[in-house]
C-alpha cells in the first residue's frame, strides 16, 4: 500500500504558490487546516465491531466536518451554501471534538434569523439566500443551543448577542423569496433568539398540532399544508430540552407547559390505532394512516414519538409497526415511509408535493432516507431495545453494503461514507445515492455515541452501553493534559475510577496530567441502580 497527500490551494503570485507548496512538502501546518490526529484524540471509540470503529474514528468526522461544515459540498450538491438546519446538526455531532466551532456556528445562525422568528432556509455569506415557509428550520437553533449548554456546561453563550435580519415579504402565492437580506438594527441575546423561534413554531391548527407550512424537514412534502405530527413531536421535545437550560423562570414555565400541551394533542389526535400519523393535510386528509393509499406509515413520526416522551405502550406498538413495515433486513434498509407515492397509479386525493415526482422507492419516496433511519436507531436505543438497535446498526453501516464484489456492484457508492439514501425501487434495490453531502454522517456518529451511552456534562462524564452481543465497549477521551479510558463491561456491577468506587452515575474529570481508568456497568445493570444524580432525566439524543 502507498499513502498519498494532495493539496489544492491558491496564492496571489506564482512565487507565493511555490513557497506554499515548499512549506507543505516540509511538513508545515497550513492555515485553516485540520490537525486530524489531534482532533480525533479528543474522543476515540472502541467496540468489538471493526466496521463501527472504522467509521466512528475518522470517516464520519471527516464527512461531517470537511464535506458538510467546511466545504458544504459534494458530488451530488456542489452549492457551497449554509443550510440553517443542516450545519447546526453537523456541528452538534462534532461537539466532542470541537466545541468552539459549534459555539461560533450557533451564533452565526442566530444572525440569520428574521425579526418575525423564522430563518433563512439557506444562504451564501453574508446573507444572500432564501426565505421560505418551511416550518422546522428555526427550531434547530434552540435544539442546538440546549445541547451545547448541557454538554459543555457553557451557559454564557445564551447571553451573547446577535442581530436579526429585516423581514422581507414572501410574495402572495409563492413558496419563497431569494434576495440579499439586510441586517436589522434589532440585536438580542441568543436566549431571546431561541425563544422567538420557539414561540413562532408554537402556532397550531384545529387539532392543536403545529402548522406544517411549506414543509417540515421533509422538504418534498411541500404541498401537504395543514398540521404536522412530526413537527409537533420535535417541538415538544425541544421545548422540554431547552427549558432545562433557559435562564428565565417564566420562559421555562411556558416551555414546560407547551411541551405538555403538545403531547396531549398528539395523544388525542395523532394516534392511528397502531402507530402515529404523519400529518393532517390542508383538506383534513390523514397522512401516514392505515386507510391511506400511500404513506400509510412514516418512520420519523414513530421515532420522535419515543424521543418526545409520548405514551410508552403506544410507542412500543408504533416502533414494532415501523420495524415490521419499514425494516428490510434482507436488503439492509429502513424505509422512510410505505407504501411510496405513485401518481401513475392514481393515489391520494391531495398532492403531497415534489416527493411524488421521485419514482417509488427512490430518495424520500419510500427509499431508506438514512438521516431518518438514524433517528429510528436513536429511538430504539432510548427504548433500550438491544436486539433491534444492534440489528439496525448493522443495516446502516455502509461497509456492510459492500462486503464482496457482488454487493459492491449493487450498492455502487463509497463504503466509507454515509449515503443519504438507499433505494428500494425493484429496478435499483440496494443502490446507494447522494453520499458525502448528507446529514446522516453526523447523526450516525450521534447514534453510535448514544448506543455507547456516552454522556458528557461539563466536567462530568459517563458510559452506559447497550451492549447487545458485545462483551464490552470503551471510549478514550482527552481532558486537558489528562486521558481517561472509560470501559463498559459485562460483569461490572458498579462504577469505579482508578479502582475506587464512585457514587452516582458520572465520574468527575480532572486535568491533572495523568491517565485514568474508569469501569462502568452495562445499561441493564445501571437501570437497577438508584438514580441519585440523574433526577429522572434521560439521555438527551
Amino acid at each position: 500500500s502507498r499513502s498519498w497527500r494532495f493539496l489544492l490551494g491558491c496564492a496571489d503570485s506564482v512565487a507565493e504558490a511555490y513557497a506554499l507548496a515548499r512549506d507543505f512538502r516540509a511538513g508545515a501546518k497550513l492555515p485553516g487546516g485540520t490537525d486530524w490526529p489531534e482532533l480525533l484524540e479528543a474522543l476515540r471509540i472502541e467496540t468489538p465491531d471493526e466496521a463501527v470503529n472504522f467509521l466512528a474514528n475518522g470517516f464520519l468526522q471527516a464527512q461531517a466536518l470537511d464535506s458538510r461544515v467546511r466545504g458544504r459540498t459534494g458530488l451530488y450538491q456542489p452549492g457551497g451554501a449554509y443550510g440553517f438546519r443542516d450545519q447546526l446538526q453537523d456541528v452538534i455531532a462534532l461537539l466532542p471534538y470541537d466545541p468552539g466551532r459549534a459555539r461560533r456556528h450557533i451564533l452565526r445562525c442566530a444572525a440569520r434569523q428574521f425579526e418575525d422568528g423564522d430563518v433563512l432556509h439557506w444562504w451564501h455569506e453574508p446573507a444572500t439566500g432564501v426565505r421560505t415557509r418551511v416550518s422546522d428550520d428555526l427550531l434547530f437553533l434552540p435544539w442546538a443551543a440546549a445541547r451545547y449548554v448541557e454538554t459543555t456546561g457553557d451557559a454564557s453563550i445564551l447571553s451573547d448577542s446577535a442581530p436579526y435580519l429585516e423581514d422581507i415579504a414572501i410574495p402572495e402565492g409563492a413558496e419563497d423569496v431569494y434576495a440579499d437580506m439586510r441586517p436589522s438594527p434589532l440585536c438580542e441575546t441568543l436566549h431571546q433568539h431561541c425563544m422567538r423561534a420557539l414561540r413562532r413554531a408554537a402556532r397550531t391548527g384545529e387539532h392543536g398540532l403545529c402548522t406544517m407550512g411549506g414543509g417540515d424537514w421533509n422538504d418534498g412534502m411541500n404541498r401537504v399544508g395543514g398540521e404536522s405530527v412530526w413537527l409537533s413531536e420535535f417541538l415538544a421535545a425541544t421545548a422540554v430540552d431547552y427549558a432545562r437550560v433557559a435562564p428565565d423562570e417564566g420562559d421555562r414555565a411556558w416551555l414546560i407547559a407547551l411541551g405538555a400541551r403538545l403531547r396531549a394533542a398528539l395523544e388525542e389526535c395523532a394516534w392511528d390505532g397502531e402507530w402515529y400519523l404523519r400529518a393532517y393535510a390542508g383538506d383534513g386528509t390523514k397522512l401516514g394512516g392505515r386507510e391511506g393509499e400511500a404513506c400509510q406509515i412514516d418512520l420519523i413520526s414513530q421515532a420522535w414519538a419515543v424521543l418526545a416522551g409520548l405514551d410508552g405502550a403506544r410507542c412500543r406498538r408504533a416502533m414494532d409497526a415501523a420495524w415490521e413495515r419499514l425494516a428490510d433486513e434482507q436488503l439492509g434498509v429502513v424505509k422512510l415511509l410505505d407504501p411510496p407515492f405513485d401518481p401513475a397509479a392514481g393515489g391520494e386525493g391531495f398532492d403531497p408535493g415534489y416527493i411524488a415526482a421521485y419514482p417509488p422507492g427512490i430518495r424520500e419516496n419510500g427509499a431508506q432516507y438514512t438521516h431518518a433511519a438514524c433517528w429510528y436507531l436513536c429511538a430504539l436505543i432510548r427504548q433500550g431495545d438491544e436486539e433491534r438497535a444492534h440489528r439496525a446498526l448493522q443495516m446502516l453501516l455502509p461497509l456492510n453494503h459492500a462486503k464482496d464484489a457482488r454487493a459492491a456492484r449493487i450498492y455502487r457508492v463509497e463504503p466509507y461514507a454515509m449515503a443519504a439514501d438507499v433505494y428500494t425501487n425493484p429496478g435499483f434495490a440496494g443502490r446507494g445515492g447522494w453520499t458525502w453531502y448528507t446529514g446522516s454522517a453526523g447523526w450516525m456518529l450521534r447514534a453510535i455515541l448514544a448506543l455507547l451511552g456516552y454522556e458528557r456534562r461539563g466536567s462530568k462524564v459517563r458510559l452506559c452501553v447497550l451492549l447487545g452481543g458485545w462483551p464490552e465497549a470503551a471510549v478514550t477521551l482527552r481532558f486537558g493534559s489528562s486521558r481517561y479510558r472509560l470501559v463498559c463491561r459485562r460483569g461490572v456491577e458498579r462504577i469505579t475510577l482508578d479502582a475506587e468506587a464512585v457514587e452516582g452515575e458520572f465520574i468527575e474529570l480532572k486535568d491533572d496530567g495523568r491517565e485514568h481508568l474508569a469501569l462502568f456497568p452495562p445499561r441493564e445493570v445501571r437501570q437497577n441502580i438508584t438514580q441519585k444524580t440523574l433526577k429522572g432525566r434521560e439521555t438527551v439524543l
Side-chain angles (χ1 to χ4, degrees), residues 154-457:
D154 175 21
S156 68
I157 190 175
L158 299 176
S159 301
D160 284 358
S161 295
Y164 291 92
L165 297 174
E166 289 185 351
D167 290 326
I168 179 173
I170 300 176
E172 188 69 28
E175 292 187 356
D176 55 50
V177 58
Y178 174 80
D180 293 323
M181 308 299 175
R182 296 184 299 182
S184 164
L186 179 61
C187 188
E188 291 185 326
T189 66
L190 176 62
H191 169 64
Q192 291 168 310
H193 277 265
C194 289
M195 290 304 302
R196 197 172 287 232
L198 288 156
R199 292 185 188 281
R200 180 181 174 96
R203 300 174 180 180
T204 54
E206 63 175 305
H207 297 94
L209 304 175
C210 296
T211 52
M212 191 160 180
D216 63 344
W217 180 78
N218 191 334
D219 294 342
M221 291 185 174
N222 57 313
R223 289 190 287 276
V224 171
E227 299 165 90
S228 168
V229 170
W230 173 80
L231 185 63
S232 303
E233 294 168 340
F234 183 46
L235 177 54
T238 302
V240 173
D241 289 348
Y242 189 73
R244 287 200 292 268
V245 303
D248 182 86
E249 185 176 347
D251 289 337
R252 289 196 297 272
W254 181 83
L255 290 164
I256 292 169
L258 171 64
R261 174 164 58 85
L262 288 170
R263 286 192 297 274
L266 286 161
E267 299 293 12
E268 181 179 354
C269 301
W271 180 247
D272 196 48
E274 295 294 330
W275 56 78
Y276 288 93
L277 298 172
R278 178 61 176 84
Y280 282 93
D283 63 1
T285 301
K286 291 181 179 180
L287 182 62
R290 292 172 295 172
E291 298 175 0
E293 295 177 14
C295 190
Q296 293 173 352
I297 181 170
D298 192 291
L299 184 66
I300 64 174
S301 295
Q302 319 321 317
W304 277 90
V306 175
L307 301 179
L310 299 190
D311 180 83
R314 285 182 170 182
C315 283
R316 286 188 290 275
R317 290 170 67 184
M319 292 288 284
D320 286 346
W323 186 266
E324 292 163 6
R325 293 286 302 268
L326 302 173
D328 184 338
E329 289 190 89
Q330 184 174 357
L331 193 58
V333 300
V334 184
K335 295 180 284 188
L336 179 60
L337 56 86
D338 187 72
F341 296 97
D342 188 0
E348 300 285 345
F350 70 96
D351 176 10
Y354 77 76
I355 185 174
Y358 291 120
I362 302 294
R363 289 187 59 76
E364 291 100 321
N365 193 17
Q368 172 177 291
Y369 208 71
T370 311
H371 192 141
C374 290
W375 283 350
Y376 182 67
L377 173 55
C378 288
L380 289 171
I381 294 164
R382 174 69 68 86
Q383 286 187 311
D385 191 337
E386 281 187 288
E387 181 186 356
R388 283 180 179 169
H390 278 267
R391 287 161 67 185
L393 175 67
Q394 293 303 311
M395 294 160 70
L396 293 178
L397 289 170
L399 284 164
N400 289 342
H401 290 266
K403 283 187 170 181
D404 53 44
R406 178 182 176 277
R409 284 194 296 270
I410 294 171
Y411 190 52
R412 292 202 178 189
V413 295
E414 306 94 324
Y416 46 82
M418 295 299 291
D421 37 59
V422 183
Y423 306 152
T424 60
N425 182 286
F428 307 94
R431 180 181 298 187
W434 202 284
T435 53
W436 287 101
Y437 195 68
T438 162
S440 60
W443 275 102
M444 184 64 161
L445 181 57
R446 289 180 60 79
I448 290 171
L449 289 172
L451 187 71
L452 297 177
Y454 175 77
E455 192 171 357
R456 179 81 178 268
R457 294 287 179 262

Side-chain angles (χ1 to χ4, degrees), residues 10-67:
C10 63
D12 293 333
S13 69
V14 172
E16 289 182 22
Y18 275 119
L20 188 65
R22 282 194 298 271
D23 288 345
F24 177 70
R25 287 172 66 87
K29 183 177 179 181
L30 299 173
T34 300
D35 188 337
W36 280 104
E38 181 180 349
L39 183 141
L40 295 174
E41 281 303 309
L43 184 73
R44 186 161 289 277
I45 291 166
E46 302 171 42
T47 77
D49 190 329
E50 286 303 316
V52 173
N53 302 339
F54 176 80
L55 280 175
N57 289 311
F59 278 91
L60 293 177
Q61 293 86 344
Q63 187 173 351
L65 179 56
D66 283 346
S67 179

